[in-house]
Amino acid sequence: MSAHDGRERVLGAALELIARDGFDGVRIADIAKRAGVSAALVHYHFANRAQLLTEALAQSLGAAEARLQRTTDSTHRQAPPERLADLIDFGLPLTPEDVLELRLWAELELRAAGSVELSRSLAALNDRLLQPLGEAVAAGLEQGVFHKCVPGEVATIALALLTGLSTRLTASDPTLTLAEARRLAGRQLALAVGFHGELPFQPLPTQPAPCSNTEGTPPQRAPERPTARRRRAPSPAARP
């Protein structure tokens, strides 16, 4: 096994265990065991658990970015309203991987207030969320389909809105479904950018998201965790 492979296995194990058990519930020895490597190898690649947490999040973001880019390229959804609609979907927990990312963000936010290093990491990751939102709005203004708005302000509002909705969805709030959360976010952001009409969303996944309630099935609640913050962000080259 190469050094690169070992590092990737450690990051994957950290992603799973921290999301499942929380930052305080995971030891380096646990991560090494899950990855099938020695604890010494974990320490070789990562100075501490904080570095593991932030790099596991970065890896998860990178994988999500690649998925979004493939989807965008295959569907040719480049118009600003399409991009904004896809970014709304990107900001909601549609898959089990999304829920894992939410838990990791919760762990990072919980510790960022007491750590200069982690607060910088959190700010950098937030920038990766805000940038594509702002660029989509700016493109809409340039093309004349969005009106009388400030891209940076809309991006900040969008992130706050999607964060709040995602927290309720992952907590299996019985008063909010995934479809309703998407409709609400779409309507409010369409108003924020002065778009006339409804944003052109793609069909929701055929299988219900793990955080949404389904008819005849009790809601599955996530384990106890701090309030979650949103996680994924498309890279600049992967604008929907």
Side-chain angles (χ1 to χ4, degrees), residues 8 30 48 56 72 75 102 118 144 225 229:
E8 292 300 299
D30 300 325
N48 49 48
T72 301
T75 56
L102 280 166
L118 290 181
R225 58 178 179 80
R229 175 91 175 225

Side-chain angles (χ1 to χ4, degrees), residues 134-159:
E135 290 182 355
V137 176
L141 286 170
E142 184 177 349
Q143 295 180 25
V145 293
F146 297 161
H147 309 278
K148 296 181 180 179
C149 60
V150 179
E153 292 181 0
V154 174
T156 299
I157 291 169
L159 182 57

Side-chain angles (χ1 to χ4, degrees), residues 8 16 22 28 47 52 57 112 122 130 141 151 178 182 206 223-224:
E8 292 300 299
E16 294 176 15
I28 293 295
L52 255 177
L57 264 174
L122 180 61
L130 292 168
L141 286 170
L178 179 59
R182 174 207 250 186
T206 53
E224 290 289 330

